[in-house]
Amino acid sequence: MATVNPYLIFNGNCEEAFLFYKSVFGGEFPYMGRFGEMPSDNPNAPKPSEEEANRIMHVSLPISSETVLMGSDSTSQSGDVVIGTNISISINTESTGEADRLFDGLSASGTVIMPMTKTFWGAYFGMFTDKFGIGWMINFDEKPQ
């Protein structure tokens, strides 16, 4: 069964926000990666500017046994986010088949931002906005952490 988690996008203050959330919820970050740590050989990912290299590419903070709060910063490529529309629904699936089925079904008549693809972080991942304007991220971790 797929799990659903909130994914928050920030305009450069993701680390500050997640340090705050950590102070409230407790726990540890299983992962906090920066745009500057992305492999430079990925032709689909332009090299970040010096200012953007330190921004958060992805962070996760488990807040219960079922829920993980996740987030990242925007970049010049993605553009600034509008507060109030800076949340997506992230679904972690149990297989690539389930990921494809959910991606194809939910993205119908929507706008695909990133088709389902294998990523440098070891996941099968895609992003889209559905026909109702809701942002979604579909993820299958080939090697769960």
Side-chain angles (χ1 to χ4, degrees):
M1 180 58 90
T3 59
V4 177
N5 296 294
Y7 200 102
L8 309 173
I9 312 286
F10 297 88
N11 286 320
N13 61 337
C14 180
E15 184 172 15
E16 176 187 2
F18 269 76
L19 288 172
F20 170 73
Y21 300 146
K22 181 180 172 186
S23 76
V24 174
F25 290 110
E28 296 297 325
F29 301 123
Y31 180 79
M32 182 182 284
R34 300 181 187 282
F35 285 104
E37 297 167 352
M38 290 174 53
S40 59
D41 60 343
N42 183 346
N44 297 326
K47 184 175 172 131
S49 69
E50 286 186 40
E51 185 270 326
E52 290 180 340
N54 200 40
R55 285 187 172 200
I56 301 300
M57 179 195 69
H58 179 75
V59 61
S60 57
L61 178 65
I63 60 174
S64 77
S65 61
E66 297 88 22
T67 306
V68 178
L69 186 61
M70 296 184 278
S72 69
D73 280 314
S74 64
T75 64
S76 57
Q77 184 181 6
S78 63
D80 284 345
V81 295
V82 176
I83 302 303
T85 62
N86 58 327
I87 185 168
S88 291
I89 299 169
S90 175
I91 299 179
N92 286 330
T93 65
E94 293 184 345
S95 69
T96 57
E98 182 183 29
D100 285 336
R101 181 181 66 76
L102 293 173
F103 186 95
D104 293 344
L106 291 168
S107 68
S109 300
T111 302
V112 173
I113 298 164
M114 179 179 175
M116 293 301 298
T117 189
K118 290 190 177 208
T119 64
F120 70 86
W121 63 85
Y124 184 58
F125 178 81
M127 295 173 28
F128 60 91
T129 302
D130 72 18
K131 63 184 177 181
F132 302 105
I134 305 300
W136 294 84
M137 299 174 176
I138 308 293
N139 187 81
F140 168 66
D141 287 317
E142 294 181 354
K143 297 177 185 174
Q145 297 178 6

